[in-house]
Amino acid sequence: MYNFDVVFLGGLFPKETETEIVENSKGSIQNAANNLQWEFVKGLDASLQNPLRIINSLYIGSFPKRYTKMVIDTYNFCHLNSNSKDINVGFLNITGIKNFSRYYSLKPYLKTWAVSRNDRKKIIIAYAMTSTFTHLLRYVKKLNKDIVTCLIVPDLPQYMNLSSHKNMIYTVQKNIEIKCIQHDMEYIDSYVLLTKYMSQALNINVPYVVVEGIATNSFDDVGCIPQEKGVKTILYSGGLTKRYGVLDMIHAFEQIPEVNYRLIICGSGDIETEVINASNRDKRIIYKGLLKRDEVLQLQKSCTVLINPRPKNGEYTKYSFPSKIMEYMSSGTPVIAYKLEGIPEEYYEHIYMVNDDKGGLFGTLKDVLCKDEQELFRKGQIAKEFVLTQKSGEKQGEKILQMLNHL
């Protein structure tokens, strides 16, 4: 157990207000980022003598297009027990002002922590490579040079928001942000990367560890949904975005003639209309919209197979590990996915890979759904055992704290 004073600077959804955050959101929600942050928090806590403290600034859309509230409140919450001193820091949630407001609202809380005296080593771990958070790491380091700074990089900044309309203003703003982040990097002592290729892209010359994801044991808390006898179900849960291969998945499924197959889709995004249209023309396609997390976990645990249709369609796949792969494998349900550079080789013996030489996604779906129930069950359970033993929160958290301890 490590006797550190750790602050987690993040943008997760506090459990006490998660329902309200979802209800106030318009369009897609950062569910994957929220879930991964909570897994990091749980994993780190498992190896700390004292619980870490969360200083939080919600990762939400801006008012009025993507969120219904203009002013976000400041309030305390408890992530572990009644002694937790976590705080969600409010800000003015207006496009163009939002990031400045988040930065200046967070500074006083970080300053109080940074200059306070105790006999434990101070460490700050921030989630996501945004200029707001890299500026704050720089700010903290200047206040107290002995604080160890660590940045979790789930995505490279140049590959964030790829679905945005790339007009000239957006491109200029993005380039300015990247230069600001590069300038801040001299104040970052260590990194947690999702793929090994990120270290080359960022020219990192300080310690780092690769943590592609964290297996979740949340499935232990949910039951199964009874499935219709003789019906085989394929589930996709996640963002409805063209680059994720969702439309290719629908097209492949529509070519399969079997009437007892179902394709269930959960989530939201910019191709939601196309998904609804597909469900109208093929009644085997069932669109459930944006569900609560427990409902998604129940479906993942209950369906025949789970699918991640994201293809290798750009260099960014080298710098990305799809978080749903880890969650899918944790469910015990077998997984179908493409081979992507960001996914380590050790995973591929535990999933059904899409084979382009044998009909691509269409051929793989047909082949997997023809397998008997025992084989599918065995494949899913072995995958679950692999991630829960090798990629648990405790193991991944220990890996991070071990690196920080050496610093």
Side-chain angles (χ1 to χ4, degrees):
M1 299 289 281
Y2 296 93
N3 188 25
F4 297 148
D5 179 1
V6 180
V7 158
F8 184 87
L9 177 62
L12 49 74
F13 302 160
K15 302 299 184 184
E16 295 90 334
T17 55
E18 184 171 3
T19 300
E20 178 189 339
I21 293 165
V22 172
E23 289 174 350
N24 286 323
S25 296
K26 301 178 182 179
S28 59
I29 300 171
Q30 298 224 31
N31 283 320
N34 176 53
N35 297 334
L36 184 54
Q37 286 178 87
W38 275 116
E39 295 299 338
F40 272 115
V41 167
K42 288 190 289 184
L44 291 164
D45 266 336
S47 295
L48 289 171
Q49 285 187 24
N50 298 284
L52 56 74
R53 184 188 180 196
I54 302 172
I55 298 180
N56 199 58
S57 181
L58 298 176
Y59 283 146
I60 53 174
S62 301
F63 175 87
K65 285 189 175 181
R66 300 193 62 196
Y67 204 77
T68 60
K69 291 182 70 174
M70 182 172 65
V71 179
I72 305 304
D73 299 326
T74 296
Y75 54 87
N76 292 102
F77 66 99
C78 301
H79 81 272
L80 196 61
N81 54 48
S82 58
N83 295 321
S84 299
K85 298 178 180 179
D86 307 314
I87 187 162
N88 184 72
V89 181
F91 55 89
L92 196 58
N93 190 30
I94 301 174
T95 303
I97 299 173
K98 173 181 180 177
N99 288 336
F100 293 102
S101 180
R102 292 175 77 212
Y103 174 75
Y104 286 105
S105 297
L106 286 161
K107 280 179 74 175
Y109 297 95
L110 291 171
K111 182 178 181 180
T112 299
W113 169 76
V115 300
S116 65
R117 295 191 176 188
N118 63 45
D119 57 356
R120 291 183 289 150
K121 184 71 177 175
K122 289 180 181 288
I123 296 171
I124 181 168
I125 302 173
Y127 181 90
M129 193 173 234
T130 66
S131 58
T132 302
F133 279 12
T134 59
H135 283 352
L136 287 166
L137 292 180
R138 176 185 179 184
Y139 171 71
V140 166
K141 193 72 174 176
K142 284 191 167 185
L143 285 173
N144 184 345
K145 63 182 177 60
D146 293 327
I147 290 176
V148 175
T149 55
C150 179
L151 181 64
I152 299 173
V153 187
D155 296 288
L156 298 183
Q158 59 266 42
Y159 295 111
M160 291 181 185
N161 304 316
L162 287 179
S163 60
S164 300
H165 298 293
K166 293 187 177 180
N167 54 37
M168 186 179 294
I169 295 174
Y170 173 83
T171 302
V172 170
Q173 288 176 333
K174 177 60 72 175
N175 289 336
I176 292 172
E177 181 182 29
I178 290 171
K179 286 184 178 178
C180 289
I181 290 170
Q182 289 171 340
H183 183 63
D184 294 335
M185 286 176 68
E186 65 178 288
Y187 298 92
I188 300 173
D189 299 315
S190 57
Y191 293 86
V192 178
L193 308 178
L194 260 67
T195 80
K196 62 182 181 180
Y197 300 104
M198 283 181 166
S199 65
Q200 302 162 11
L202 294 170
N203 294 315
I204 290 175
N205 57 5
V206 295
Y208 70 89
V209 292
V210 175
V211 175
E212 66 274 9
I214 299 177
T216 178
N217 57 9
S218 299
F219 289 97
D220 295 341
D221 301 325
V222 300
C224 288
I225 300 172
Q227 298 298 298
E228 189 179 345
K229 190 174 182 180
V231 171
K232 295 187 176 182
T233 50
I234 307 159
L235 174 68
Y236 171 80
S237 56
L240 302 185
T241 304
K242 188 175 182 180
R243 70 186 176 101
Y244 289 171
V246 177
L247 295 180
D248 294 334
M249 171 189 70
I250 289 172
H251 178 66
F253 179 79
E254 287 178 320
Q255 296 178 67
I256 299 174
E258 279 76 7
V259 296
N260 64 323
Y261 289 179
R262 303 286 183 271
L263 173 61
I264 302 173
I265 300 173
C266 310
S268 63
D270 52 20
I271 59 166
E272 193 169 330
T273 300
E274 288 94 324
V275 174
I276 292 171
N277 291 339
S279 68
N280 289 333
R281 67 175 177 261
D282 188 336
K283 297 305 179 185
R284 300 174 305 159
I285 299 174
I286 302 164
Y287 176 53
K288 289 185 172 288
L290 193 62
L291 300 179
K292 293 179 180 178
R293 176 156 170 77
D294 282 357
E295 294 173 322
V296 175
L297 295 179
Q298 280 185 315
L299 278 171
Q300 290 177 357
K301 195 173 177 180
S302 307
C303 287
T304 308
V305 293
L306 308 175
I307 183 169
N308 178 39
R310 181 187 291 195
K312 184 184 175 183
N313 56 1
E315 189 186 20
Y316 81 96
T317 57
K318 287 174 65 175
Y319 311 115
S320 173
F321 180 92
S323 59
K324 69 169 54 63
I325 291 286
M326 190 72 79
E327 184 172 278
Y328 279 179
M329 292 175 72
S330 302
S331 71
T333 303
V335 179
I336 296 173
Y338 281 89
K339 186 171 185 177
L340 304 176
E341 287 179 278
I343 303 177
E345 286 288 332
E346 61 184 327
Y347 284 83
Y348 289 113
E349 64 181 286
H350 302 297
I351 64 177
Y352 292 113
M353 281 191 298
V354 176
N355 192 331
D356 288 326
D357 296 330
K358 294 184 178 180
L361 195 52
F362 164 73
T364 304
L365 282 171
K366 288 227 14 150
D367 178 59
V368 172
L369 290 170
C370 284
K371 296 182 184 298
D372 64 61
E373 289 184 10
Q374 284 189 337
E375 181 180 337
L376 292 172
F377 177 79
R378 190 163 53 249
K379 186 81 168 181
Q381 290 301 308
I382 292 173
K384 178 180 179 178
E385 183 181 0
F386 165 70
V387 293
L388 288 181
T389 56
Q390 303 301 315
K391 309 295 177 180
S392 67
E394 290 81 358
K395 284 218 168 188
Q396 303 291 49
E398 170 70 22
K399 185 189 294 187
I400 296 167
L401 292 170
Q402 205 170 58
M403 170 188 69
L404 295 172
N405 187 48
H406 288 313
L407 288 173

